[in-house]
Amino acid sequence: MPNEKSKSLIPPSAIVEVDIREDEEQAVKFNEIVDLLVAAGYFRARIKGISNFDKVIGGMTWCIESCNFDVDVDLLFHENLTIGQKISLTEKIVAMLPKMNCPHRIEPHQIQGLDCIHIFPVIQWLVKRSMETRKDNASFVRAFALSQFDKLYSSKNNEHSMKDEQMKNIEANIQSVKQSYGPKRKFKRAGEAPKDEIARVKSTLLEYGILPIGNIVSSVSDSGENENVNIQDTTEINNELIKDQGQVVHLDEERLSASAVGNIVGLQAQEIVQVSELYASLSVDSSNSTNESRILSALEKQQSTLQKRINKLKMEHDTLTEQYNNQIEKMKKTNEKKQIIEDEFLRMKEMETPENKGMLAKLEELLAVHSGLKNQEHKFREQCKIDLVNLQNLVENIETCDPQEKENQIAEYDSLKESINKTRLLLAKKNRAIASLTRKLDDVPGRSELTQYQRRFMELYNQVSAKHKETKQYYTLYNTLDDTKLYLSKELSLLNSIQENYNEAMASASGKEQFLKQFEAIIAGIKRNKDMVETRCAEEKDKRFKLNKQLVTLVEQQRKYVAAVRQLTIECRKNEALLAQLRAT
């Protein structure tokens, strides 16, 4: 046949038989691959409308992308790829597996031919690596969510420890404030100290820059030593003390220390009124003395300043009180929300079981992602506000510019727009040319595509040849059986005629002689047919011998051809290596 002759002329090296074992073992391995991908989370593997190749290659691409491995390879996968895209994708995957330290090796044609026995260990390793990567990411996200939760909320267990830490911080701040704002001595006594205890105390306070008015009296009266001393007597003592130490203690008329202001603010309103009346009476009585008038005028200035200070401090006190109340309300609401959240958290902990533990972990991951998205949204809103302000300022600057500048800007804008349009047209023209060249390049098949086409044609040729051989065997069997049937029918008819004529022929001697002559003629015809068949058989044997001899000759030529092709391939590789060295130099 012509097909057999053409097949015999093709060398064995050009006939590539892809190892596709369409048996039960392949089907079992494919089902295990699908089950493994579905268990790992690639649920598209169980969709019946997707082809087997898309399921396997899609699962491998998904596993590689979920491993977070930094490789400069574009693993773009979508369903119903062309042959060139499938070949390119499988070659990229095969080249990427050694970079990921995969212990299993696989060839692109094994993936394209769905050799599930060799694909299964690779899928198994990729799924294991993907699960480990996802577990590490889940632990990191969980730790991040817990840290964010601890920053915003606190549980009852660490509430006491936080209070202790806050108390320690407050005590440390108080100590630092005391050290920074402690009492400092400003003046020094020149003469002897007064004998009176109250005068001695007040003179000591004056040395530290504090003007005592009424506090010492109240403290002394509390101690029970001088119960008959009143505010008026205390004021007179202060005046005498200032007169006695006028040359030693330098009192600033225009400035009052912070401690004196604090003492005066602590006075009661009634005492302030009494002191003001006392100062007014003293100012009338002591008009003859210059020192007394100077002191009274200073005290009046201090009184007015202190009154203003008191009013201001009262307003600040009211404001701070209102803020404090608001903060207390906010704190109560926050504590209520905190208690609700803690109750919900405890209830969620009670609801946690081994069955829904994975679901709860997934919810925690989603909450962490939600908080991250909220932060991103907040940052995005802030950036949008900043951009809006910048654009508004830019619009204001544009509106406030001169008309001549606007015209220049409009003309410049038109020229730039025209140049951009020209550039776009040139770019579109270049893109069309590039697209046309790309289509032409795509129309020309590459070496890998040609190899794939050759493999597919060889597979198709093998199938057609096997079918043709099977059909030819059926025809030969049919012809043989038909000839056998013909001979058997002739033999049966001959035996029937002999049986029918035997009795008549044996009845007479002439009939018997005629019957024997006919029988001899039949035997001679059978011998002639036998000789013809034997002659034909001998011719067929000679023809088979010649064909076998021709086959041996062609096999020897094929062997020489294969050796020559192998040697040519080695020489071509050497040539390419030498050309690469020449280009490098």
Side-chain angles (χ1 to χ4, degrees), residues 32 64 88-89 91 116 180 196 273 290 347 383 492 496 533 550 577:
E32 290 180 359
I64 292 171
S88 176
L89 183 59
E91 289 178 350
C116 299
S180 300
D196 189 11
V273 174
T290 57
R347 190 173 65 181
Q383 185 65 33
L492 181 61
N496 290 329
V533 171
Q550 185 180 2

Side-chain angles (χ1 to χ4, degrees), residues 62 78 93 114 125 137 144 149 169 185 201 212 304 332 367 429 441 454 518 583:
W62 177 78
H78 57 85
I93 291 174
L114 290 179
W125 184 84
N137 292 336
F144 177 74
F149 183 81
N169 294 331
R185 189 168 183 175
V201 170
S304 60
K332 288 180 180 180
L367 287 174
K429 187 176 180 181
L441 290 175
Q454 184 183 8
Q518 290 178 357
R583 292 192 188 98

Side-chain angles (χ1 to χ4, degrees), residues 58 74 132 191 233 248 254 391 476 537 559:
D74 185 13
E132 291 176 356
D233 297 335
V248 180
E254 299 297 331
L391 291 174
T476 304
C537 181
R559 187 183 62 79

